[in-house]
Amino acid sequence: MRFAHLNPESDQSPELFVERGDRFVAVRDLGESFGSLQDLIEAGPEALSRITSALAELPADAGIASADVSYAPAVLNPPVVLAVGLNYDEHASELALDNDSGPVLFTLFPNSLNGHNGTVELPTRISEEVDYEGELGVVIGRPAKNVTPEEALDYVFGYTAINDITARNVQFAEPQWSRCKSFDGFTPIGPVVVTANEIPDPQALAITTDVNDLRVQDSTTEFMIRTVAELISSISQSLTIMPGTVISTGSPGGAGRSRKPPLYLTDGTVVTVTIEKIGAVTAHCVAV
């Protein structure tokens, strides 16, 4: 199944929808009262079963056309967004950073979450070196503590696409990486969260990033240094990964900083991260 938060026409909060073909159906129209994907995840697998059954009983033209929707972040209120740095050799090399010591883990602040086709404000007073990073996002479905790599994927609720936008000058001026990636709107996520049963192997997904009409990243998740299962297992040894937690699993090579000349995001730039079986999340950049 494919879930999204969509913006209403009025001033109300985003609402949880399920995608069916080229249409979206509100979860409330399926007899459920979940306000967000987080609520659905916490309700457990029985809730998914009820939604599947109710959806099958609706007419084919129920809901609203995909072409008419406005997307909010695919994940609205996760317990935390955990980002993994330097999880592809090529990206670590192009930034001249060491990735031998284990997963580089840091958090992204919730104000950074942004939706598909959203606006990303580029804070030119602070940085003129704002970069893109296409990444696979993993959404945890139940508490994970001390899990093995062999069982780790059983703890996944679903997957999404993420653009881990980064102010590079801030990143290299500070010993931690949270602030440089957590400016308002710097984490476009979506357009949907695809449940894990539809992606049995997260290490077999094509991932691309396009800046305007230029393909700047073109890789697959098979080139991760540490697989999704290994990341979940490793993180769970030191902390309980709570349901709804998002793990952004790192970016392949091709970042703007590594290009000659560097390719940073500027006013009017359109960036699209596409992941096989999930879809494309697009950001529209505006200098402020």
Side-chain angles (χ1 to χ4, degrees):
M1 301 183 78
R2 302 166 65 87
F3 291 94
H5 293 110
L6 303 182
N7 293 313
E9 294 181 359
S10 64
D11 256 351
Q12 297 176 341
S13 299
E15 186 175 353
L16 183 63
F17 282 72
V18 59
E19 187 177 35
R20 183 172 69 163
D22 60 354
R23 303 185 73 80
F24 279 99
V25 177
V27 170
R28 60 176 164 78
D29 291 338
L30 300 173
E32 303 291 345
S33 59
F34 305 119
S36 69
L37 185 68
Q38 183 67 29
D39 296 334
L40 172 60
I41 292 170
E42 292 177 355
E46 298 82 6
L48 273 180
S49 297
R50 295 196 304 269
I51 289 173
T52 300
S53 298
L55 198 61
E57 297 177 2
L58 290 182
D61 60 352
I64 55 178
S66 300
D68 298 332
V69 305
S70 170
Y71 292 87
V75 178
L76 283 180
N77 53 343
V80 67
V81 180
L82 297 174
V84 179
L86 311 181
N87 199 31
Y88 291 75
D89 270 330
E90 186 179 3
H91 185 54
S93 297
E94 70 189 5
L95 295 181
L97 293 170
D98 174 27
N99 63 352
D100 294 333
S101 59
V104 177
L105 195 66
F106 51 95
T107 58
L108 302 179
F109 303 151
N111 58 283
S112 71
L113 295 175
N114 204 340
H116 170 55
N117 272 331
T119 297
V120 174
E121 294 186 347
L122 306 176
T124 53
R125 293 183 300 104
I126 301 173
S127 179
E128 294 185 349
E129 299 179 2
V130 178
D131 207 346
Y132 52 82
E133 290 186 7
E135 308 198 4
L136 174 67
V138 179
V139 183
I140 297 299
R142 57 192 177 100
K145 176 64 176 175
N146 292 329
V147 302
T148 66
E150 292 73 23
E151 64 188 355
L153 295 186
D154 294 338
Y155 291 79
V156 175
F157 175 85
Y159 300 92
T160 190
I162 293 176
N163 186 355
D164 180 27
I165 296 174
T166 308
R168 294 292 186 203
N169 62 311
V170 178
Q171 179 181 24
F172 285 91
E174 299 178 347
Q176 51 75 34
W177 293 355
S178 292
R179 187 170 79 94
C180 67
K181 297 170 177 283
S182 292
F183 286 65
D184 291 346
F186 264 29
T187 313
I189 181 169
V192 298
V193 172
V194 180
T195 52
N197 63 298
E198 296 194 10
I199 301 179
D201 184 2
Q203 306 310 139
L205 303 174
I207 178 170
T208 62
T209 302
D210 296 286
V211 175
N212 295 330
D213 295 324
L214 179 66
R215 176 67 47 88
V216 292
Q217 292 184 300
D218 191 348
S219 188
T220 76
T221 54
E222 71 174 299
F223 293 117
M224 285 184 189
I225 297 169
R226 300 164 188 90
T227 66
V228 171
E230 290 168 341
L231 288 172
I232 293 171
S233 176
S234 175
I235 296 168
S236 77
Q237 304 309 308
S238 55
L239 57 94
T240 301
I241 312 175
M242 298 305 295
T245 294
V246 178
I247 302 174
S248 194
T249 59
S251 183
R257 181 183 175 89
S258 69
R259 304 180 73 89
K260 300 189 183 303
L263 178 64
Y264 292 124
L265 308 182
T266 60
D267 188 62
T269 299
V270 178
V271 187
T272 299
V273 174
T274 305
I275 300 183
E276 184 180 1
K277 298 184 179 180
I278 295 171
V281 59
T282 295
H284 301 267
C285 301
V286 177
V288 296

